[in-house]
Amino acid sequence: MAVPAILLENVGFCWSEARPALVSCNLRVPQGEFWMLLGANGSGKSTLLKLLAGLITPTQGRISLAGAVGLVMQNPDHQVIMPSVGADVAFGLADVPPHLWPERVEQALRLVGLWELHQRPVYALSGGQKQRLAIAGCLARRVPILLLDEPTAFLDPEQQLELAQQVQHLVRSTGITALWVTHRLEELVYCDQAVLLAEGRITQQGTGAQLQQYIHQHHLDAQTA
């Protein structure tokens, strides 16, 4: 069995005693794979991502990670803060010796196809380019796990699929592990496996095609699956 990059064992979390946000979740994401997490608003997707990012701690169970994580938010304007593309990637390298910054920045930007724009002002980028820049910031830190919280929420349909395809390529070319939160069924074609959350519980797991089929067979709306 492949070594997991992300392992959840009987994980639960409660924001309050009245209603648990996650209940007895078990998940094993192998290293070097691209997984997607699907579910309605309020299903627990964002809570699960916050747990994996270390922003909150589980009230039950155990989480094991194969290293540091990089978090890409829904709105890149909340994450991309420096005036130029190259400077923004370098900003996250405070723990890296400065003489390594130029190489790290160039490598990361080449991986996401933005190196030719490294001197461009951030305000001149498209929404999709800003999300790729946010991903480059994580790659420059050499994190083994990438968490993406509905990264296509502010993108147009064409950019949504381009970004999903780009992350799929990154996973295959670098060996990084990615967990992508979405409610868009059309994005599932790019993942290795997908997981469905409902009312804080993992209810289904399989390939993207299997999850799509399950949702259609049970007449579920992707927004309320």
Side-chain angles (χ1 to χ4, degrees):
M1 183 178 294
V3 176
I6 299 171
L7 181 64
L8 277 68
E9 296 177 294
N10 198 36
V11 169
F13 182 83
C14 294
W15 291 107
S16 68
E17 295 182 2
R19 182 175 180 273
L22 293 173
V23 181
S24 300
C25 291
N26 293 285
L27 182 64
R28 183 186 182 95
V29 179
Q31 292 183 7
E33 292 195 4
F34 182 18
W35 283 44
M36 290 189 177
L37 183 63
L38 191 72
N41 291 333
S43 63
K45 303 188 307 295
S46 293
T47 299
L48 180 53
L49 227 61
K50 287 183 175 71
L51 286 168
L52 294 175
L55 301 177
I56 55 177
T57 56
T59 51
Q60 171 190 319
R62 186 173 74 93
I63 296 175
S64 298
L65 301 171
V69 304
L71 178 61
V72 178
M73 304 174 186
Q74 288 184 16
N75 188 343
D77 288 331
H78 295 163
Q79 189 162 3
V80 176
I81 59 175
M82 296 300 285
S84 72
V85 169
D88 194 79
V89 176
F91 180 76
L93 298 177
D95 295 332
V96 177
H99 71 276
L100 296 178
W101 292 4
E103 179 185 2
R104 292 282 192 97
V105 169
E106 180 174 353
Q107 287 179 346
L109 287 173
R110 286 191 183 280
L111 283 170
V112 299
L114 291 179
W115 172 243
E116 300 303 321
L117 306 180
H118 69 279
Q119 293 183 322
R120 179 168 295 188
V122 167
Y123 69 78
L125 300 181
S126 68
Q129 288 171 331
K130 287 181 181 179
Q131 283 294 40
R132 285 155 57 195
L133 177 55
I135 292 171
C138 298
L139 295 175
R141 294 189 289 113
R142 306 280 174 89
V143 297
I145 300 170
L146 189 62
L147 307 175
L148 304 105
D149 187 6
E150 296 193 39
T152 59
F154 292 87
L155 306 183
D156 62 40
E158 182 178 354
Q159 289 181 324
Q160 290 166 8
L161 297 183
E162 285 179 353
L163 186 64
Q165 188 175 34
Q166 180 76 35
V167 172
Q168 181 195 53
H169 175 72
L170 279 173
V171 169
R172 292 179 176 175
S173 62
T174 68
I176 197 171
T177 303
L179 181 62
W180 168 298
V181 171
T182 187
H183 58 254
R184 294 185 170 91
L185 295 183
E186 59 271 22
E187 294 173 2
L188 294 176
V189 69
Y190 296 101
C191 68
D192 294 303
Q193 289 278 299
V195 175
L196 180 63
L197 265 178
E199 298 182 351
R201 299 178 184 272
I202 294 176
T203 59
Q204 295 291 322
Q205 179 180 321
T207 65
Q210 288 170 334
L211 262 290
Q212 284 183 321
Q213 183 179 25
Y214 175 84
I215 289 170
H216 289 313
Q217 285 180 341
H218 290 78
H219 307 289
L220 301 175
D221 188 299
Q223 302 281 346
T224 58

